[in-house]
Amino acid sequence: MIQKLIRRILGTKKKNTGDGTQPVVLTAAEHRIDPKLVSSNAIRVTSTLQQAGFKAFLVGGAVRDLLLGVKPKDFDIATNATPEQVKKLFRRAFIIGRRFQIVHVMFGQDLLEVTTFRGTAVDSAPKDEHGRVLRDNTFGEQHEDALRRDFTINAMYYDPASQTVLDYHGGMTDIRNKTLRIIGVPEARYREDPVRLLRVVRFAAKLNFTIAEETRAPISVMAPLINNVPAARVFDEMLKLLLSGHALACLQQLRKEGLHHGLLPLLDVVLEQPLGEKFVRLALEATDARVKQGKPVSPGFLFASLLWHQVLEKWKAYQAAGEYTIPALHLAADDVLNTQTDKLALQRKIATDMRDIWAMQPRFDRRVGKTPYKLLEHQRLRAGYDFLLLRCESGEIDREIGDWWTDFIDADSAGREELLAKKPALKSAGKAIAGETDDAAPAPAKKRRRRGGRNRNRQNSDASSADKSE
């Protein structure tokens, strides 16, 4: 008790023994965490557990962000209480997880994740043929829990009550040196959970940290292990990567480390093509800007942007083979989504949003009759319109199309009628649709003439043409 008081007064640190069993204890004056950045609900959870006689700390990314002076988005708590003991202390608490049980504690819409200290992995834990741990509910001591965490910067514990940080593996030094280092033998840690291969890239790009050489060296060799991870987990990690606010840097890092193959097929090819590279870069920069401004981001829009040039390539191929514009686009979308669903477990809602955004693109060029008014009523108009502007800005289509729709959306009724009246002076519908050129296959052209003959008694030939293409 006296020694503890002396340490608090003098700011003396407990020395690290070097074996990872004793932490360096950092005082408030040393770590300089601003208590105002800590969630009141996180403090409520740790204090409730401590009052019940348990140890409880903020842990992981929350502590890392606090040390960097950033307000964490999520607060995770580590404790020596079992999931059942945690659940009894809170009115809205739910035990989840199969691979390792955790407790979700709810305060209104605020969710906090509480985990029991994990013990040293045992050889008897179920693994697949590649060494990936399938299930491990072994509980243990705090120093064992620190050893089980992935990176040194994520293995520190903060006690809001005493305002001290426990650092078991030199995480504070790595934060100051802006170094990302895995705990333990990198090859073994990647084999236990191949998702760490993606996490190391995300953290390095997000924090602008350098990956330690011994941590980086095995990545490209062990990259194929990601194929053994359930698609849903890969999708969750990819979504975190793309919504990190540093998506472009993350994808560039993925390519640099050789991890992009199989995650977003052909993305490396797209990024090597002038129009594709510019389009993806613009989409990711817009996403990063929205994340940093605290604005919502649609995963459907993001993935629609990343995969657009794969759809565009197949769309052109189907049209060259004789398909009409709209059916060709749907076939192209089917091909790309079927491939990506197998790889990334795209959720149905996200896939539906992607289809809607893609399907709207040729409709934007039909600026005659009632078609533009109908498009204004589409529930995904804003996403489709933003996507159209990306295509214009990247140089894929004429900027005049995007300008026309900007004016049409902003105009009143009289202004819209005036814009529609100017349509004959604008580019014809068939020329501006991506994938349709003067060199289109002759067979579809003949079919269009025959269909035109059947409908030559219609009053408005322009409207008739637009209706058939839709």
Side-chain angles (χ1 to χ4, degrees), residues 237-298:
E237 190 58 36
M238 284 297 296
L239 204 54
K240 290 177 183 178
L241 183 149
L242 293 170
L243 300 180
S244 65
H246 304 269
L248 183 59
C250 285
L251 287 185
Q252 290 171 338
Q253 190 80 34
L254 278 178
R255 296 186 69 209
K256 179 181 177 182
E257 304 298 342
L259 287 170
H260 55 296
H261 297 295
L263 296 175
L264 293 171
L266 303 180
L267 182 59
D268 51 332
V269 176
V270 169
L271 291 176
E272 291 169 2
Q273 298 173 358
L275 286 180
E277 188 276 336
K278 187 174 182 181
F279 182 87
V280 170
R281 177 172 54 78
L282 289 169
L284 295 179
E285 286 175 350
T287 298
D288 289 345
R290 290 185 66 85
V291 171
K292 291 172 183 176
Q293 293 167 11
K295 295 180 179 179
V297 177
S298 163

Side-chain angles (χ1 to χ4, degrees), residues 300 337 341 346-356 358:
L337 286 175
T341 298
L346 287 170
Q347 299 168 8
R348 181 176 297 178
K349 182 183 183 307
I350 293 177
T352 299
D353 290 346
M354 294 166 66
R355 284 184 186 277
D356 287 345
W358 291 336

Side-chain angles (χ1 to χ4, degrees), residues 126-170:
K127 300 181 179 68
D128 66 12
E129 64 272 23
H130 304 284
R132 180 172 66 89
V133 176
L134 300 175
R135 192 163 53 256
D136 181 13
N137 280 311
T138 304
F139 302 136
E141 299 296 325
Q142 187 173 15
H143 70 272
E144 295 177 304
D145 185 78
L147 186 63
R148 290 287 301 273
R149 296 190 176 269
D150 46 13
F151 307 110
T152 60
I153 63 173
N154 289 341
M156 290 181 282
Y157 303 77
Y158 176 62
D159 179 7
S162 64
Q163 294 188 31
T164 55
V165 170
L166 306 186
D167 181 3
Y168 283 89
H169 296 283

Side-chain angles (χ1 to χ4, degrees), residues 317-335:
Y318 276 118
Q319 288 182 93
E323 286 288 350
Y324 291 108
T325 298
I326 302 302
L329 177 56
H330 288 303
L331 288 171
D334 287 342
D335 287 351

